[in-house]
Amino acid sequence: MDKKLKIAVVDDENEILEMINRYLSKTGKYEVHVFSNPMIALERINETFDGVLLDIMMPQMDGLSALEKLHSKYPELTIIMMTAYSTLDRVLKSHKEGATNYIMKPFESLGVLEKKLFDEITSKN
Amino acid sequence: MNSSFRSRFFALVLVAYVLAIVGHFVLLEMYQESLGEIDSIFHPSFFIVWILLILTLFFIYLYKYTQKKYFLTQNIQESDELLALIDDFVCISKTDIHGAITYASSALCKISGYSKEELIGQNHSIFRHPSNDIRVYEHMWQTILKGEVWSGELVNKTKNGEDFWIFGRVIPNLSEYGEVVGFTAVKTDITNAKKIEFLNSQLGLQVDYFNAVIKNANSGIGTMDLAGNFTTVNSVFSNLFGYSEYELIGKNCVELTTQDQQSSASLYLSFAKSHGKIYKVNKSCVRKDGGIINIEMSLDLLPTKKEFVVVINSLEDKIKLQKALNRAELLYKNAAIGFLIIDQKGFINDVNAKTCEIFGYVAHEMRKMHSLALHLNANAYEEFVRAIAKQDKNPFVQLETRLLTKENKIIWCEISGHPYNAKMALQDGSVIWTVMDISDKVQFRDQIIEQSKDLEEQVRQEVEKNIQNQKIYLEDKVSNAKFAAIGKLAAGITHEINTPLTYIKGNLEMIGFDVADIGDVHIKMQIQEDMTKVFTGIRRIENIVESMREMSQKSSEGRERINLYATIVTALTMAYNRSKHISKMYINNQIFEIGLKKDREEFFVEAQQQRIEQVWINIINNALDELVKVDEFDTRWLKITIHQDQDEVIVRFCDNAGGVKEEILESIFEPFVSTKVHGGMGVGLNICKRIVEDNSGQISVHNENGGAVFEIRFKGVD
């Protein structure tokens, strides 16, 4: 693998950011950028990113509006929504707004998460 | 004067004259030579003249004398007769100056009833009548004492005390010296004149009286000539016909009758002419305004035979009265109310048919009876009379009392009427009572009272039931609200749990990678074994949270296509915490454990998911409540089966906790039926039934194999 995939993880929970960062980094396939504030994430994420893991329930900004903004800016960007059951309905509806896929919290396993992410990015390319 | 006396006298005078002339001439012859010249009137040649003169004078005297004497005799005779006449026919009295009667004529005696002997010496005031004004006497005395004549009318009194009227003249008698020495009263009896005068005035009064009577009579009174033309009418008469009095005068009575009665009217008229009267014939007449009036007419021929007196009365009032009477009689006879006319002594004077019907008597039997006989006994009668007397301020009495029929049957009657002292009593003092048999009414009333007691009880029960229903409704509401609140809470909690759960799980996974690098196999094995336990725990947490999430998320009340199997799994998951200490639970022979796949089997129905889950939880909890009473844990079980039978999905909850008590098996879905001694409102199953039925399902219960079976059926969908 010549180049690491550039991934952004957006979640207000630092523990989750840290966990995903650790896991994905450990695989060696990704260059992980974590954002606990979606506003900053929106500023920083650009066309160089290969994928975004985006939490849906954040205090600063609703994940769905963040999705909308990201998708309008970078329509080709792979965006995977992270959701708990309580917001599943909204996530399912978000598909047409540009969400590539979704993953339920708690994750079945981090491996599943990584696989889903990798598959989505590579299938797009 | 007597003519024979006069002729005889004049013959005598003539003879005397002849003798004187003869004597003169004899003397003249004898004494011619000696006579000489006539020198004086005493000359013998004048002798004869003297003789004749003397003779004439003598005869005149004689004539006068004899005549006077004759007349005197004659007068005396005549005045005696006259006096007797006066005495007989003229009332004369004489009195002295003091009024003592000195003379009274026979006529006076006759008229006054006294004898002359009685009157003489009496004072004249014996005739005085007290009704005369005293001033009349004073005036009389003043006049006559002055010597003047008084005259005037007086009423006098006879010996018998009767009145007689006189016109009196009182003439004072004067002495030769002009003194008043007495009075002569000449009285003319004017009693008859006075009587006539009185009768005249009486007649006038009577005429006035009759005129007033006629004018104010209630009947129409008039006169008409023999041809039937009115000559006078009173106002009632003219008013009856609508004419003025003047308009009617001259009109013919036949004209006033209706066309069809005119010939009979003429007949009546001629009949009255010949027979003097007709009495109370009825006629229809035409008023001025064209209206018909029925009258009753009487005709009387007046004694003059020139006029009739007509008396008419309107029959309208009479006809009305008759109609009213007929109506009253009809009412009395046919009324559905009994009438009793009772006299003051309490005897029944009359009854109507209804009264007879009520009491079972024949009318004539009742008419002889005392009203006492209608009462149960004398005491009851006395009580009744007292009750009436108490009401004397009220002019109308209405009483309910028990009375006795002829067959001694007691009936309840309502008696109403006026008490004896009321103004409403009939002329003879009797009163009218009405009587109604109200036995049926009283019986009905008693029934009603009885029924109303029942009704009261029913209402009470109904109200209680309503209150209970209200409670159930509230319970349902509260329970719904509770679920909604729990749902909201659960949504929050699941989110909050999910986040740490995510990184607990993730980090544990990462620990797993790190553990792989541990060299000490024993420690590594131990850690991996522990981690497996932790994973199991986390999975359980995940499942519970997911069930909570489902409960909270599917709060929409609309029906949707749901997998009934999944709802049971959810319910079992929710109940698991409790059930694991009480009993094993099976679903379609698979023992239930947390993590059982919800889509392991599929039975789709259209229902409200959350509500149905509520039902399952309720039934499971009920079963657990009963199962806990079974001694051995190992023997306890709750088996849930779900299967499709044609188009129905049938869910059965079977336990082995002894079953539902027979006495409440029928009513277990009724509100407030509870198997629990403490706790439990007993509304759970009632709510379940309603939820199931709201979702077009049926719920039933029966006992089977030493336990209860709750069976729920829904219509399956593809």
Side-chain angles (χ1 to χ4, degrees), chain A residues 11 13 15-16 18-20 22-23 26 57 84-89 105-112, chain B residues 491 494-495 498-507 509-510 513-514 517 535 539 542 546 549 553:
Chain A
D11 197 310
E13 295 283 344
E15 284 82 359
I16 290 179
E18 201 182 314
M19 181 186 76
I20 295 171
R22 262 182 70 200
Y23 183 82
K26 202 178 166 182
M57 215 142 104
Y85 277 112
S86 56
T87 50
L88 185 61
D89 289 352
K105 275 181 178 176
F107 312 122
E108 207 172 334
S109 74
L110 288 167
V112 172
Chain B
T494 50
H495 182 76
N498 263 337
T499 307
L501 209 55
T502 306
Y503 61 78
I504 289 169
K505 212 176 158 190
N507 285 318
E509 199 181 338
M510 298 218 292
F513 296 124
D514 296 336
D517 300 338
F535 260 114
R539 283 213 179 280
E542 263 187 308
E546 192 198 328
R549 186 272 313 162
Q553 198 176 29

Side-chain angles (χ1 to χ4, degrees), chain B residues 72-89:
Chain B
L72 208 63
T73 328
Q74 281 295 108
N75 277 356
I76 285 164
Q77 272 181 352
E78 281 185 11
S79 64
D80 278 351
E81 283 169 23
L82 211 59
L83 277 171
L85 277 172
I86 288 167
D87 191 60
D88 275 348
F89 293 104

Side-chain angles (χ1 to χ4, degrees), chain B residues 8-217:
Chain B
R8 275 206 311 271
F9 181 75
F10 282 114
L12 187 67
V13 171
L14 200 63
V15 170
Y17 277 12
V18 170
L19 284 173
I21 292 166
V22 171
H24 175 71
F25 283 109
V26 168
L27 279 167
L28 277 178
E29 263 321 292
M30 284 169 58
Y31 301 104
Q32 202 161 21
E33 297 89 25
S34 55
L35 282 176
E37 262 180 84
I38 303 164
D39 53 355
S40 85
I41 52 165
F42 296 111
H43 191 271
S45 59
F46 288 101
F47 178 72
I48 191 69
V49 176
W50 285 106
I51 290 293
L52 284 172
L53 191 66
I54 290 160
L55 269 175
T56 305
L57 287 169
F58 173 72
F59 278 117
I60 288 167
Y61 172 76
L62 188 69
Y63 181 74
K64 284 281 177 189
Y65 177 77
T66 50
Q67 198 177 28
K68 194 178 174 182
K69 196 181 175 185
Y70 174 80
F71 275 115
L72 208 63
T73 328
Q74 281 295 108
N75 277 356
I76 285 164
Q77 272 181 352
E78 281 185 11
S79 64
D80 278 351
E81 283 169 23
L82 211 59
L83 277 171
L85 277 172
I86 288 167
D87 191 60
D88 275 348
F89 293 104
V90 183
C91 299
I92 299 174
S93 60
K94 287 188 176 177
T95 64
D96 63 15
I97 186 91
H98 304 295
I101 297 168
T102 51
Y103 167 78
S105 70
S106 303
L108 184 61
C109 292
K110 194 174 162 194
I111 203 167
S112 64
Y114 293 99
S115 66
K116 287 196 182 188
E117 291 73 30
E118 283 173 323
L119 284 176
I120 304 296
Q122 288 288 339
N123 193 289
H124 201 276
S125 61
I126 194 169
F127 297 119
R128 193 178 283 193
H129 195 282
S131 70
N132 286 312
D133 192 341
I134 192 77
R135 284 171 296 189
V136 177
Y137 291 104
E138 282 171 6
H139 177 250
M140 180 183 80
W141 279 106
Q142 279 171 10
T143 311
I144 56 179
L145 282 174
K146 276 192 276 180
E148 287 168 14
V149 175
W150 178 89
S151 62
E153 285 182 2
L154 282 170
V155 58
N156 280 355
K157 195 172 67 178
T158 68
K159 186 183 178 182
N160 297 330
E162 287 166 13
D163 301 348
F164 68 99
W165 276 91
I166 51 124
F167 177 81
R169 264 176 90 82
V170 183
I171 305 151
N173 297 337
L174 302 180
S175 72
E176 48 195 311
Y177 306 110
E179 288 170 317
V180 177
V181 290
F183 307 101
T184 302
V186 182
K187 300 166 181 179
T188 312
D189 181 3
I190 55 165
T191 305
N192 285 337
K194 277 287 171 188
K195 273 183 183 164
I196 287 163
E197 193 182 299
F198 175 73
L199 281 175
N200 264 331
S201 69
Q202 284 291 305
L203 199 63
L205 278 177
Q206 279 204 341
V207 168
D208 288 346
Y209 170 77
F210 281 117
N211 278 339
V213 166
I214 288 166
K215 202 173 169 189
N216 297 307

Side-chain angles (χ1 to χ4, degrees), chain B residues 420-483:
Chain B
Y420 293 107
N421 54 358
K423 287 173 187 169
M424 290 302 291
L426 301 180
Q427 279 171 341
D428 59 357
S430 57
V431 289
I432 298 179
W433 288 90
T434 63
V435 58
M436 276 196 289
D437 182 357
I438 54 162
S439 298
D440 291 348
K441 192 174 131 189
V442 170
Q443 199 186 338
F444 184 65
R445 193 170 58 196
D446 291 348
Q447 268 178 17
I448 292 284
I449 290 166
E450 277 303 309
Q451 281 172 2
S452 69
K453 277 181 192 162
D454 291 352
L455 200 67
E456 230 168 80
E457 178 60 22
Q458 274 179 27
V459 166
R460 201 186 57 74
Q461 285 175 2
E462 204 61 35
V463 166
E464 207 165 89
K465 217 165 155 187
N466 275 344
I467 291 169
Q468 287 178 356
N469 283 339
Q470 191 70 19
K471 270 185 187 167
I472 294 161
Y473 176 75
L474 282 175
E475 186 76 11
D476 194 14
K477 279 271 174 201
V478 166
S479 137
N480 265 346
K482 261 187 202 164
F483 269 100

